[in-house]
Amino acid sequence: EVQLVESGGGFITPGGSLRLSCAASGFTFSKARMYWVRQAPGKGLEWVGRIKSKTDGAATDYGAPVKGRFSISRDDSKNMLYLQMNNMKIEDSGLYYCSTDTLVPVRWGQGTLVTVS
Amino acid sequence: FMLTQPHSVSESPGRTVTISCTRSSGSIASYYVRWFQQRPGSAPTTVIYEHSQRPSAVPDRFSGSIDSSSNSASLTISGLKTEDEADYYCQSYETSDPQWVFGGGTKLTVL
C-alpha cells in the first residue's frame, strides 16, 4: 500500500526555520518525482515545489512565494522527502502535503500543520 | 497561466452537476488536467487524471472531459450523493516540465 506520512509541523515565530519530513512507502521512492503542496486555513491548494529523481539530477523547482527561502531535498536510502523552510512568514501558515505524480493516480499524504505567529 | 473555477455549486441528491475549469492561456488539450476531491478535514484525493481517466476506486458517476473551443475542462458528477459534498480542484501544468497550477477550487453542496 502506498503511504506518504508528513511530520515536523508546529508553531514557529516569523523569521524562524522549520524542517518538514515525508516518509514514503509502498513504491519505488528513488524513482519518484516528489512534490510539496500547501493549503492556508480556509484557502485553496498552492504548489510549493518539486524535486525530481536522482536519475533526473534531483532537480528542484519552487513556487514564487517560497523561492529563495524554502529548499526541498530527499534521502533515497531512507525513503524520505524534506522541506526546509527558512525566514518564515505568517502567510506560510497552513497544512503542508507531500505528493507524487510518478504513481498514477497522484497520491497525497495527510498533511502536517504549520503555524507561523 | 490561471485555471478558473466557479466558487461554488449546489444541486440536489440524484441530480447531475458539472464543474468547469477554464485555462487562461495555452491549450487545455496540451497538458493533462487532473481533478482532486477534498472532503472537509481530509487530504485531497484524485478523482480524475489525464483529462478523463478515473482511478479504479472512484465511482463511474464521476467523469472528466475537455472542450478545446472554450479551452476548459469539466468534471461531471451524476447521481449525486451527500458524500460527494466536498471541494473540487482542477490542476494542470505550466510547461512540459510539470509545475502544478491549481484552480481556486469549487465547493459542491448537495442538498
Side-chain angles (χ1 to χ4, degrees):
Chain A
E1 179 193 2
V2 172
Q3 280 201 313
L4 297 169
V5 180
E6 302 91 338
S7 61
F11 186 95
I12 191 80
T13 54
S17 297
L18 202 60
R19 189 177 84 153
L20 305 183
S21 301
C22 171
S25 60
F27 63 102
T28 306
F29 178 78
S30 62
K31 295 185 178 180
R33 184 171 51 221
M34 300 296 299
Y35 296 78
W36 286 99
V37 174
R38 69 183 181 182
Q39 186 171 35
K43 302 296 184 182
L45 301 172
E46 180 184 29
W47 184 77
V48 173
R50 174 224 68 221
I51 185 166
K52 293 183 176 180
S53 67
K54 282 215 168 54
T55 302
D56 290 327
T60 54
D61 203 355
Y62 303 93
V66 308
K67 192 173 288 188
R69 299 188 298 122
F70 289 14
S71 175
I72 300 174
S73 61
R74 63 192 300 156
D75 185 338
D76 291 347
S77 69
K78 298 180 180 178
N79 286 357
M80 294 292 294
L81 174 72
Y82 303 103
L83 178 65
Q84 178 67 44
M85 303 184 291
N86 298 327
N87 188 23
M88 296 186 71
K89 304 177 180 181
I90 290 175
E91 53 265 37
D92 293 324
S93 296
L95 268 168
Y96 282 72
Y97 298 101
C98 68
S99 182
T100 179
D101 64 355
T102 299
L103 302 173
V104 177
V106 168
R107 303 297 211 283
W108 298 77
Q110 287 304 302
T112 186
L113 183 63
V114 172
T115 303
V116 185
S117 180
Chain B
F1 73 96
M2 291 174 25
L3 295 172
T4 301
Q5 301 179 233
H7 181 70
S8 63
V9 295
S10 61
E11 189 51 89
S12 303
R15 302 295 292 267
T16 296
V17 71
T18 297
I19 299 171
S20 62
C21 171
T22 302
R23 182 170 177 136
S24 62
S25 62
S27 170
I28 193 73
S30 295
Y31 305 104
Y32 283 133
V33 174
R34 300 175 179 132
W35 289 91
F36 302 117
Q37 176 193 66
Q38 187 177 35
R39 293 190 172 109
S42 296
T45 61
T46 305
V47 292
I48 294 290
Y49 64 97
E50 294 179 0
H51 293 324
S52 60
Q53 300 303 302
R54 189 180 61 251
S56 57
V58 174
D60 61 5
R61 301 183 294 105
F62 288 76
S63 63
S65 63
I66 61 169
D67 180 354
S68 295
S69 65
S70 59
N71 213 36
S72 64
S74 294
L75 172 68
T76 298
I77 310 171
S78 60
L80 277 169
K81 300 184 177 183
T82 55
E83 68 203 46
D84 299 331
E85 196 162 276
D87 293 326
Y88 291 85
Y89 295 90
C90 61
Q91 177 261 313
S92 191
Y93 307 106
E94 186 164 21
T95 64
S96 57
D97 188 33
Q99 301 179 42
W100 293 1
V101 175
F102 291 97
T106 299
K107 181 176 180 60
L108 170 62
T109 301
V110 181
L111 39 67

